Amino acid sequence: MKQLLDLENWSRKDHFNFFNRFEEPFFGVVVDIDCTIAYDKCKKEGIGFSCIICTKL
C-alpha cells in the first residue's frame, strides 16, 4: 500500500535530502577478505563455496 511521506516532519528528512541530490544515490565498496578458513571448511565438508559466500558474507 502506497503512503505519502510528510517530508517536513520525517525523521530521515536530512538523509533523504542529502542523497536525493546525487545522480546515483548509492555507494559501492570494494574490500579484500581472507576467506581461507571458509574455503577450507567447505572443502572438508563438501559444501559449495559460492553458497557460503552468498549467505554468510
Side-chain angles (χ1 to χ4, degrees):
M1 178 170 116
K2 291 185 180 181
Q3 179 180 351
L4 291 177
L5 289 174
D6 178 5
L7 291 178
E8 291 306 313
N9 297 307
W10 188 28
S11 63
R12 296 186 51 85
K13 173 185 171 187
D14 293 337
H15 294 92
F16 175 79
N17 288 333
F18 177 76
F19 287 104
N20 195 41
R21 293 189 301 250
F22 291 12
E23 185 175 324
E24 294 186 31
F26 54 86
F27 294 93
V29 177
V30 177
V31 296
D32 289 327
I33 299 174
D34 182 358
C35 296
T36 305
I37 295 171
Y39 181 79
D40 290 343
K41 180 176 175 133
C42 290
K43 284 286 234 187
K44 179 181 174 185
E45 297 182 14
I47 303 170
F49 182 67
S50 59
C51 292
I52 296 298
I53 293 299
C54 291
T55 60
K56 301 297 182 190
L57 292 181

